[in-house]
Amino acid sequence: EPVVMEAAAALPPRTDVLLAHALDDRSVRPSDLDRWVALIPSARAELVETGGHQMLIKSGFSVLVDWVQDVVS
């Protein structure tokens, strides 16, 4: 994880990044989202109520699709 965090911190300032997390994820704490947001200030953070650790799959990637549409428009 330290290598990934270093790489995230080194991203160019205007890099489009989506950080998505489900509150009912039992594998990753919601507070971890704050840590990533601090490392990547340009990121868009999406916190959703349900979906668990596989929130994107369970939601049909809706959070990701919405984000991509916003980025390209």
Side-chain angles (χ1 to χ4, degrees):
E1 184 178 316
V3 172
V4 174
M5 294 182 87
E6 287 176 22
L11 287 171
R14 300 183 86 172
T15 302
D16 293 316
V17 174
L18 172 65
L19 299 170
H21 185 77
L23 288 172
D24 65 348
D25 186 332
R26 293 182 299 187
S27 300
V28 179
R29 298 179 313 263
S31 61
D32 287 350
L33 183 63
D34 297 330
R35 188 172 59 158
W36 286 102
V37 168
L39 278 174
I40 313 169
S42 65
R44 175 168 153 188
E46 292 288 335
L47 192 59
V48 298
E49 292 290 323
T50 62
H53 196 64
Q54 296 184 345
M55 173 262 302
L56 287 175
I57 295 169
K58 291 177 181 178
S59 71
F61 295 89
S62 62
V63 173
L64 179 61
V65 169
D66 292 345
W67 176 77
V68 169
Q69 288 175 335
D70 286 347
V71 169
V72 298
S73 62

